[in-house]
Amino acid sequence: MTTSSTDATWPPRLPADFTWGVSTAAYQIEGAADEDGKGASIWDTFVRRPGAVRDGHTGDVACDHYHRFDEDIALMGRLGLDAYRFSLSWPRIVPTGAGKVEPRGLDFYDRLVDALLDAGIEPTPTLFHWDLPQSLEDQGGWLNRDTAEHFAQYAAVVAERLGDRVKRWITLNEPFVHMSFGYGFGVHAPGRALLLDALPAAHHQLLGHGLATAALRNTVPGAQILISNNCTPVRLRSDARSDEDSAAASAYDALHNRLFNDPLLLGSYPDLSAYGMPDPSWAGVVRDGDLATIAAPLDGLGVNYYNPTWITAPADPAAGLPFDLAEPEEPYERTAFGWPVVPDGLTAVLTGLKARYGDALPPVWITENGCSQPAGLQDQARIDYLSGHITALARAMAQGVDVRGYFTWSLLDNFEWAEGYHQRFGLVEVDFATQQRTPRASFAWYRDLIAAQRS
Ligand code: IFM
C-alpha cells in the first residue's frame, strides 16, 4: 500500500468487521431534477436566486447519477466497499412533501438498492440531506412543526418499500448546518437569514428524527437507526484565554454540538441562556413529550467531521451572537476550500463525546470525512488527509470509543452547495462536460487500505 503518512502507527489495524464506505447525497449527484414526476426541492429554487451559488451552478444534472448509478456502483465495487451512504430525495418520492407518492421515485431507489446488494454493498440511506420539498417550505419549512409529521409519513413510505432489504438507516444529515446555513444565515437553501429565530428549525428537525425513528421501527424489524451530526471541537486561540473567550467557546459548543447531541442522548437541551433562551417563543416550540420522542434509543451516532472551530468573545456583544468566529494562529495546511487540516480534532470529537455522554453514547460511525482538493488525478494531499484522520479515529478507538465504520466524503466530485462545482471532494474526478469518471490516486489508495484491513 502506498501512503505518505508519516505517522509511525500507520496503517492502524481496525477490527475485521469495521465498515468501510463512501458517502454522497441526492441533490449533489443525482441530477434528473425534473424527471419522472419529481417535485421541486428548496435547492431547485435556491440555485435560481441570482448570486446564491457561485457562477450560477445548479444540481440540475450534477453527476447524472440518476442515469449512471450502475457505473458508479461498479466504481464502488472496485473500491471493495462494505457500505454506501446516499440520500433519498424526499421530493422525488413525495413530490409535494405530503400526500401523493410518486411510484417512479420509489422505483429508482428500489433499483439502486438491488444493484448495491447484488454488488455486496450495504445500502445506508439518509432520509433527509437538505433537499426539502419546496411545497413544504412554502408552508414554513422546518420552522413549521407539521414538517416533522410529514417527514415521519415519508419515512414510513420508504420503509414500507425498501425495509425488506435496507437495515441501516440515517434519519437526518447535519441538522446544525441546515438550521444555521439555511435558516440562520441564508447562505444555503431555503435562504432565510433569521439568526436566532432559526432555532425552531433545530427542534422540528430533531422531532422529525424522533417521529421517523418510530415509523422505521414499526415497519422494519431489526432496523439500525442513526442520525448524522456535524461535530466540531471548539478551540480558543492560544493568545485569547479570557473568561469572555471561554464563555464564547462554551456558547458556540452549545449551539453547534450540544443542541443536537444532548436531546438525542440525554433527553434535554443544553443551557442556551447565552442566546436568551428559553424565551416564550422557544417554550412554545418545545412541547410536552417532544424530548422523549427525540431521545428514543439510537443504534448509532453518525459523526461528520471536517475541522475544529476557533472562537473568541464577540467584538460587539450587542451585535446578536455571543461569539465571533476566529482563525487559528497555527499554520495548518489548508484544503482547497481553505479549511484547516487538523486530524487530532477527530480524536478530540470522539473522546469528547465519550466523556460527555458515557454509556449513553451508542456506537459511533464516521458518516463523513474528506477534503476538497484541486482538480487533477494526483491527489496526495487527499491521501494525507484521509490517512491522518483514519489514524486519528484509531487513536480514539484505542482510548475506548466504539467506532464501527468510516465513510469518506465523497465518491465523486459533486455539487458542493453554494460553491457549485468549484470544490472537488471526490476519490473519482468527474468531468462535468462529458460525465467522464476517472479514479484519482486516492481511489487506489483507499481500495488498497480496505483490502489490507481485511487481509
Ligand atoms: O458536501 C457536504 C455535505 O453535503 C455535508 N457535509 C459536508 C460536505 C462538504 O462540505
Side-chain angles (χ1 to χ4, degrees), residues 68-261:
R68 296 169 193 260
F69 69 88
D70 282 329
E71 184 182 349
D72 295 337
I73 292 173
L75 287 164
M76 295 177 215
R78 284 169 58 188
L79 282 170
L81 298 184
D82 298 304
Y84 172 46
R85 173 181 179 241
F86 56 100
S87 78
L88 307 176
S89 162
W90 183 352
R92 202 179 280 296
I93 295 170
V94 188
T96 58
K100 192 176 155 298
V101 172
E102 172 50 65
R104 289 171 292 177
L106 280 174
D107 290 348
F108 168 66
Y109 294 111
D110 206 64
R111 293 194 299 275
L112 179 66
V113 162
D114 282 346
L116 287 165
L117 291 171
D118 285 349
I121 298 168
E122 180 157 17
T124 304
T126 304
L127 291 171
F128 179 69
H129 196 125
W130 305 348
D131 47 355
L132 189 75
Q134 180 62 45
S135 306
L136 293 185
E137 181 57 29
D138 296 341
Q139 296 159 50
W142 285 109
L143 300 173
N144 182 341
R145 186 180 172 93
D146 292 349
T147 298
E149 301 282 351
H150 297 315
F151 181 62
Q153 286 151 15
Y154 149 68
V157 166
V158 290
E160 192 67 49
R161 179 67 179 267
L162 304 177
D164 56 336
R165 286 151 292 153
V166 172
K167 295 300 168 197
R168 188 185 306 125
W169 298 83
I170 299 173
T171 54
L172 304 177
N173 180 70
E174 298 181 358
F176 166 75
V177 178
H178 190 52
M179 172 197 76
S180 57
F181 284 26
Y183 290 88
F185 299 114
V187 294
H188 278 186
R192 305 195 63 186
L194 302 172
L195 293 179
L196 292 177
D197 289 338
L199 278 171
H203 182 67
H204 294 145
Q205 286 184 87
L206 288 165
L207 182 63
H209 155 84
L211 295 170
T213 297
L216 289 167
R217 292 218 192 279
N218 272 341
T219 313
V220 186
Q224 243 196 317
I225 301 177
L226 287 68
I227 181 172
S228 289
N229 274 343
N230 182 293
C231 297
T232 186
V234 181
R235 298 201 165 160
L236 293 172
R237 289 170 54 97
S238 58
D239 60 354
R241 293 196 188 275
S242 67
D243 288 350
E244 288 79 10
D245 290 317
S246 300
S250 173
Y252 188 78
D253 187 40
L255 187 71
H256 189 132
N257 296 311
R258 287 183 271 134
L259 177 60
F260 296 91
N261 290 326

Side-chain angles (χ1 to χ4, degrees), residues 28 129-130 173-174 304 306 337 339 368 409 416-417 425:
Q28 294 180 270
H129 196 125
W130 305 348
N173 180 70
E174 298 181 358
N304 294 359
Y306 288 91
F337 221 140
W339 298 349
E368 284 183 28
W409 183 273
E416 177 55 29
W417 309 115
F425 280 85

